[in-house]
Amino acid sequence: MGQATGGSAAGGPEQQALFGWSETAPAGEARRLFRDGPEARRMLDVREVYAEPAALDSPRGQQIVARLPGARVTEVPNHWRIPSLHGNDGNVARWVRTKTETLVLGVKHTLATRPNGRSADWIAPGPSNGCAMACAYCYVPRRKGYANPITLFTNIEAIVAHVRRHVRAQGPKTEPNQCDPEAWVYDIGENGDCSVDALICDNTADLIAAFRGLPTAKASFATKFVNPDLLTLDPRGRTRVRFSLMPVEDSRLLDLRTSPIAERVAAAADFLDAGYEVHFNLSPVVLREGWQRDWVDLLTHLDDVLPARVKEQAAAEIIMLTHNQALHEVNLGWHPRAEEVLWQPAVQEAKRSQNGDLNVRYARDVKQRSLTRLRQLLATHAPWLRVRYAF
């Protein structure tokens, strides 16, 4: 497998390579779970756990702590307010190390499913917040201050029960829409990556199992990490995996600690054969010199390597880059090279988001021209890839 970008170049972040691990299992050794292997340990080597008391007392919390026998556990009153994490500007210099070595356990007190209508019909209460990967454009850290490790919510039984009640209250879907022609689609990973969460606990498996028994609905989550353990979960067509893709050059600079683009593409057929619906997120589209050429290379690669059975059911979301002043300032402290392409005031404008954040997006005319051009490239180089949603 290829290697994630290192941090040896001037201005680059300091991080370990995730892939290309030299250890191999002895011949004849029984296959172990991916989450127990060396690549998973390179992604998550948890040494510090901050946990709410109720999270520690829960069955899921006890399961997680039991799998981390060497980790120091510190009780905290609130998973959102941990001064040594969220209020400590010194953590900027340790951005990647904190993601690797720190885990937060909390209880999700507000269980609410809210309408979306874009990527999914509904946004379900997520089982996590934050991520062990380090994508420079990620919106989740904007509210967390100077560190953004994974927070896992241990009251998964309550989350699953809430989702089941909500699905059953909707009844059958009566009209097709851009989310799905037949099923209500619930995004279960809005603020995290379910594939990475599955390295630590069974929250993702529990949600996939729940939707397996809900014939009027589908779970959906986007991911940048290929976790082979998910292939064993038997989703039976009730979970949609959206592999996020961007040109390789962008990914090397911006998608730190993620699976290489070629690996995400290669996994599509395996996930389809395992019972998932497989879509793609072309996201985020970053405008910089040579962007059209590099998107042609990616689309050509998709057309060349994906088997017909993947193409026949595939659809795509196109999401243009959204950035944020606060995140820009944080990134300057750990990965300034990323900001050379993410922060482009000459072609960006401020826009207030639905949650009240002041974000920076490409100016309306720039965005529309770029979306039109990318659709043209799709029509030429991957005409089978239906665009389900563009933003």
Side-chain angles (χ1 to χ4, degrees):
M1 288 184 283
Q3 288 191 343
T5 308
S8 59
E14 212 176 295
Q15 66 160 20
Q16 297 172 314
L18 294 182
F19 303 96
W21 188 276
S22 60
E23 292 181 14
T24 55
E29 182 178 303
R31 180 191 177 277
R32 62 185 168 190
L33 289 173
F34 178 82
R35 74 183 187 184
D36 294 327
E39 290 174 9
R41 292 199 305 270
R42 189 64 68 92
M43 171 67 80
L44 277 168
D45 180 19
V46 177
R47 304 179 185 186
E48 182 86 40
V49 177
Y50 295 95
E52 296 176 349
L56 286 176
D57 291 341
S58 68
R60 182 52 40 88
Q62 293 172 15
Q63 177 197 54
I64 293 168
V65 172
R67 294 194 67 247
L68 302 170
R72 181 175 64 179
V73 179
T74 302
E75 291 193 9
V76 294
N78 189 301
H79 67 86
W80 270 108
R81 293 189 294 274
I82 305 173
S84 59
L85 277 180
H86 305 146
N88 180 4
D89 60 2
N91 280 324
V92 172
R94 302 181 71 254
W95 188 261
V96 172
R97 186 170 297 280
T98 298
K99 285 173 168 290
T100 306
E101 298 179 354
T102 304
L103 178 68
V104 180
L105 303 180
V107 173
K108 197 174 188 73
H109 296 287
T110 302
L111 299 179
T113 294
R114 69 181 195 274
N116 179 251
R118 293 176 173 174
S119 174
D121 293 292
W122 305 95
I123 305 296
S128 69
N129 184 292
C131 188
M133 296 183 288
C135 301
Y137 47 81
C138 180
Y139 62 86
V140 177
R142 295 173 190 165
R143 295 187 172 187
K144 282 195 170 183
Y146 300 103
N148 183 40
I150 299 174
T151 296
L152 287 174
F153 299 120
T154 64
N155 56 328
I156 188 64
E157 300 92 344
I159 293 171
V160 168
H162 168 90
V163 170
R164 283 197 177 114
R165 289 193 300 270
H166 193 278
V167 170
R168 289 167 179 160
Q170 306 315 305
K173 194 174 194 176
T174 58
E175 296 183 6
N177 61 14
Q178 68 180 17
C179 304
D180 193 86
E182 298 177 351
W184 296 110
V185 179
Y186 287 72
D187 193 316
I188 62 171
E190 181 189 31
N191 292 317
D193 191 302
C194 292
S195 298
V196 179
D197 295 349
L199 297 176
I200 313 172
C201 72
D202 295 333
N203 280 4
T204 299
D206 289 344
L207 282 162
I208 289 175
F211 277 90
R212 191 166 60 220
L214 295 170
T216 62
K218 288 179 183 176
S220 177
F221 64 89
T223 185
K224 303 182 185 75
F225 188 72
V226 178
N227 183 346
D229 292 342
L230 271 59
L231 297 174
T232 69
L233 299 183
D234 190 24
R236 302 181 192 176
R238 308 317 302 173
T239 295
R240 172 185 294 165
V241 173
R242 296 156 18 234
F243 285 106
S244 294
L245 303 177
M246 60 168 56
V248 171
E249 290 302 314
D250 286 337
S251 183
R252 287 173 177 162
L253 178 65
L254 305 174
D255 269 1
L256 276 68
R257 313 193 81 235
T258 64
S259 297
I261 294 294
E263 186 176 325
R264 301 180 214 174
V265 175
D270 291 337
F271 274 75
L272 180 67
D273 294 343
Y276 292 89
E277 183 180 43
V278 177
H279 286 189
F280 299 102
N281 279 12
L282 309 183
S283 167
V285 179
V286 178
L287 304 183
R288 40 81 179 171
E289 185 177 354
W291 73 272
Q292 297 183 46
R293 174 199 63 228
D294 289 347
W295 275 98
V296 168
D297 289 346
L298 173 60
L299 297 175
T300 301
H301 178 69
L302 292 176
D303 192 51
D304 287 344
V305 305
L306 289 176
R309 64 186 185 280
V310 173
K311 295 178 179 179
E312 288 166 0
Q313 57 84 64
E317 300 175 16
I318 302 175
I319 304 174
M320 303 293 293
L321 172 70
T322 297
H323 204 24
N324 177 276
Q325 174 75 46
L327 182 59
H328 168 65
E329 297 296 335
V330 169
N331 284 351
L332 288 176
W334 75 277
H335 191 12
R337 287 183 56 236
E339 291 306 299
E340 295 174 9
V341 298
L342 295 178
W343 191 255
Q344 297 287 336
V347 295
Q348 291 169 326
E349 62 186 13
K351 184 176 177 61
R352 185 75 63 179
S353 69
Q354 292 179 346
N355 63 17
D357 288 344
L358 187 61
N359 297 329
V360 177
R361 299 174 179 171
Y362 293 121
R364 183 182 299 272
D365 58 336
V366 173
K367 178 178 178 179
Q368 290 306 314
R369 287 198 306 270
S370 303
L371 281 172
T372 298
R373 181 55 181 152
L374 188 51
R375 285 179 180 272
Q376 292 170 345
L377 297 178
L378 276 163
T380 300
H381 301 283
W384 46 270
L385 188 53
R386 172 175 61 91
V387 177
R388 189 168 57 78
Y389 164 64
F391 177 68

